[in-house]
Amino acid sequence: MNQNKNRPDVGRGEPFAFRLNRDPWKGEIFVCVTDNLCDNPACGCMELGMAIFAYPGEGEELKGPPVYTFVLDIKGRTLAPKYSASPESRNFAETFLDHCDRKRWGELEEAAVYLKEEALKKKRLLKGSSDSMAGQIVKLDEAKQSRNAPCPCGSGKKYKHCCGS
């Protein structure tokens, strides 16, 4: 019998439940929904949008807006600096990062690669679009990034022709 039958496949972008063992979240259960943020095949970024919901109960659907939202830079294992997040989300994200072990980082990296590949297959334009979870997770802080500046993902292209398109 497969004991992992009911476990989510985080590497395929499936939502997963987790706990943080640090105040003020100690004892609470959260559900993380991940989404791709970049569908540019030339871009080398590994950004993963994270929408954190309160655990609704076994078998129940997620309701309402996420409690916390942030973007992880999977390569740097940090918060992605070019996206804005509320101070509460930033504080939660820093605690989440502190609790990520090697296995969880591996799963998140797999999810980032898988979700980007799926977006490319479907030719979905995700960044900033309101119909995607990614568009709902974050707002691009364009005031910080000039469209003519080099793209922060390291592709060598102008921002407007890469991640800013």
Side-chain angles (χ1 to χ4, degrees), residues 18 20 25 30 52 68 88-96:
F18 67 96
L20 296 178
W25 306 285
F30 296 95
I52 310 297
Y68 305 106
E88 296 83 14
S89 288
R90 197 173 305 116
N91 189 20
F92 184 89
E94 288 168 359
T95 303
F96 178 85

Side-chain angles (χ1 to χ4, degrees), residues 135-149:
Q136 297 171 32
I137 290 174
V138 295
K139 295 177 185 171
L140 186 59
D141 190 354
E142 293 178 352
K144 291 183 182 178
Q145 183 64 44
S146 167
R147 291 186 41 79
N148 288 318

Side-chain angles (χ1 to χ4, degrees), residues 68-79:
Y68 305 106
T69 59
F70 51 92
V71 177
L72 293 182
D73 173 1
I74 301 297
K75 284 183 181 176
R77 294 187 175 190
T78 61
L79 284 172

Side-chain angles (χ1 to χ4, degrees), residues 103-148:
K103 179 182 179 216
R104 179 58 43 125
W105 276 113
E107 292 172 336
L108 293 174
E109 185 172 342
E110 286 177 31
V113 170
Y114 175 79
L115 292 168
K116 190 168 189 171
E117 287 172 354
E118 287 299 301
L120 292 171
K121 284 180 194 172
K122 296 175 185 173
K123 297 187 183 337
R124 284 178 42 206
L125 195 65
L126 295 175
K127 191 170 281 185
S129 65
S130 61
D131 63 336
S132 69
M133 178 60 79
Q136 297 171 32
I137 290 174
V138 295
K139 295 177 185 171
L140 186 59
D141 190 354
E142 293 178 352
K144 291 183 182 178
Q145 183 64 44
S146 167
R147 291 186 41 79
N148 288 318

Side-chain angles (χ1 to χ4, degrees), residues 36-41 43 45 47 83 115-116 119-120 126-127 134 162-163:
N36 173 50
L37 285 168
C38 182
D39 59 355
N40 182 346
C43 180
C45 68
E47 295 170 344
Y83 295 95
L115 292 168
K116 190 168 189 171
L120 292 171
L126 295 175
K127 191 170 281 185
C162 191
C163 292

